[in-house]
Amino acid sequence: MKQKTTLLVMAAGMGSRFGSLKQITPLGPCRKAILHYTIYDAVQAGFDKIVFVIRESFAEEFKNFVGKYAEGLVETKYCYQSMDRLPGGMPPVEREKPWGTAHAVWSAKDEIHEPFAAINADDFYGSDAFVKAHDFLAQEATDRTFGLVGYRLAATLSENGTVSRGVCTSDAGGNLATVTERTKIAASPDGTIRDEDSGVILRPDELVSMNFWAFTPRIFEEIEQQFAAFYPANKDNLKSEFYIPKVVDEAIRSGAATVRVLKTDARWFGVTYREDIPGVDAALEAFHREGKYPNL
């Protein structure tokens, strides 16, 4: 019997570089959000449930534009990333900036009791990525074996500015060994890919993380344990964030978990900058002509 699988979508943030609510920006010939395509791909891959982590302040707008589409296809739940609810019952701190992706994942813990994937709301990941993640969750994931979908770096760049990527290395067994954050990656006119902060030249086929993770509910316990150490050191820094890659890295270092790298040839795209919209529109138009996403 197939193990139930869930897709957790982190949709509570607002892109500062983009300048508006990217999660529900109408795009392409169908004037749908990238999330509509994500939902379609996830359901086709076999996911049984979708959990959206959103902000209560835009809940109705989000549900009307995106949520109703999901509800028509699959079991759908909503959770709120609240400043007042912190891992381990830590006291809230007055701040505007959300606590980060690890807090977003933890915010869904009451709705998820099965293996699940966690993704960003404003990235197009490609159908192959969802198949790889679903099959890993259904067949291989355990409380000590998580997964990360790894993309070719060259398939994740923006033509309109630098991008931040976690460059991954894996061991002989195909497990994640290191993730190095490169925060200003761009391709030169001659095709050379360079991290402008460090000057390091990167290969086009290096694997990078696009924040597409495969977990079991054991990750919620790991988040709580690590937040207990993170909170006292960062509660007075109102810009500090608690990121899921840091939680995973610590779990690997402590021996609490290994992380299988699930390689995909899918092409990522997103709307990091407003200038990215025409390129995204063109890609979605091509899908429309191919009939790849019917009934959106």
Side-chain angles (χ1 to χ4, degrees):
M1 184 176 179
K2 181 179 102 65
Q3 185 162 227
K4 186 174 182 178
T5 55
T6 286
L7 178 69
L8 183 161
V9 180
M10 294 178 281
M14 182 180 293
S16 57
R17 285 176 293 183
F18 186 73
S20 66
L21 208 59
K22 289 192 290 183
Q23 299 92 326
I24 53 177
T25 298
L27 299 163
C30 300
R31 309 311 295 160
K32 300 293 185 182
I34 285 178
L35 262 178
H36 287 92
Y37 296 84
T38 290
I39 293 162
Y40 181 93
D41 281 338
V43 172
Q44 291 295 307
F47 281 89
D48 304 286
K49 183 172 76 174
I50 296 179
V51 176
F52 294 109
V53 177
I54 59 178
R55 288 197 203 184
E56 197 164 6
S57 59
F58 62 75
E60 288 309 308
E61 188 179 2
F62 182 91
K63 290 177 183 179
N64 286 333
F65 188 53
V66 173
K68 287 181 179 178
Y69 175 68
E71 291 167 14
L73 296 177
V74 71
E75 181 184 355
T76 304
K77 301 290 186 181
Y78 303 92
C79 301
Y80 300 123
Q81 184 175 8
S82 169
M83 301 290 193
D84 297 333
R85 182 169 173 257
L86 300 179
M90 296 294 175
V93 176
E94 189 69 31
R95 56 185 276 158
E96 293 184 9
K97 194 175 185 66
W99 278 98
T101 52
H103 179 230
V105 169
W106 178 86
S107 298
K109 72 183 187 70
D110 291 341
E111 293 289 356
I112 299 179
H113 310 285
E114 57 281 321
F116 69 99
I119 63 168
N120 297 328
D122 48 16
D123 292 321
F124 179 89
Y125 288 101
S127 56
D128 179 68
F130 289 95
V131 171
K132 295 282 175 59
H134 170 269
D135 292 353
F136 171 80
L137 290 168
Q139 300 165 16
E140 298 182 57
T142 72
D143 284 353
R144 295 183 63 84
T145 306
F146 300 151
L148 169 66
V149 178
Y151 286 74
R152 291 181 67 253
L153 172 59
T156 72
L157 301 178
S158 169
E159 296 179 354
N160 300 300
T162 62
V163 296
S164 177
R165 300 287 180 257
V167 180
C168 304
T169 63
S170 54
D171 62 22
N175 296 316
L176 185 65
T178 64
V179 179
T180 303
E181 291 296 328
R182 302 291 186 187
T183 56
K184 289 189 70 174
I185 300 174
S188 303
D190 65 0
T192 303
I193 302 173
R194 179 182 283 101
D195 175 30
E196 295 180 359
D197 268 346
S198 63
V200 171
I201 294 176
L202 301 165
R203 301 189 315 274
D205 61 348
E206 295 207 52
L207 288 179
V208 297
S209 166
M210 298 306 301
N211 229 24
F212 194 147
W213 300 94
F215 295 126
T216 68
R218 168 69 180 78
I219 193 66
F220 300 132
E221 181 182 335
E222 188 70 31
I223 289 171
E224 291 187 359
Q225 291 173 355
Q226 292 191 34
F227 192 76
F230 174 90
Y231 179 85
N234 292 276
K235 64 183 178 67
D236 296 325
N237 179 358
L238 301 184
K239 292 186 177 182
S240 62
E241 293 189 63
F242 188 45
Y243 294 116
I244 201 66
K246 293 291 188 183
V247 172
V248 173
D249 183 62
E250 179 57 31
I252 294 172
R253 291 174 183 273
S254 69
T258 59
V259 178
R260 189 78 43 78
V261 179
L262 312 172
K263 297 180 182 179
T264 181
D265 290 326
R267 178 193 164 211
W268 169 94
F269 58 78
V271 282
T272 305
Y273 304 93
R274 283 197 172 275
E275 292 79 5
D276 291 329
I277 288 179
V280 172
D281 283 340
L284 298 180
E285 173 65 38
F287 291 149
H288 183 69
R289 290 196 304 268
E290 295 166 10
K292 188 172 181 180
Y293 290 92
N295 306 318
L296 272 189

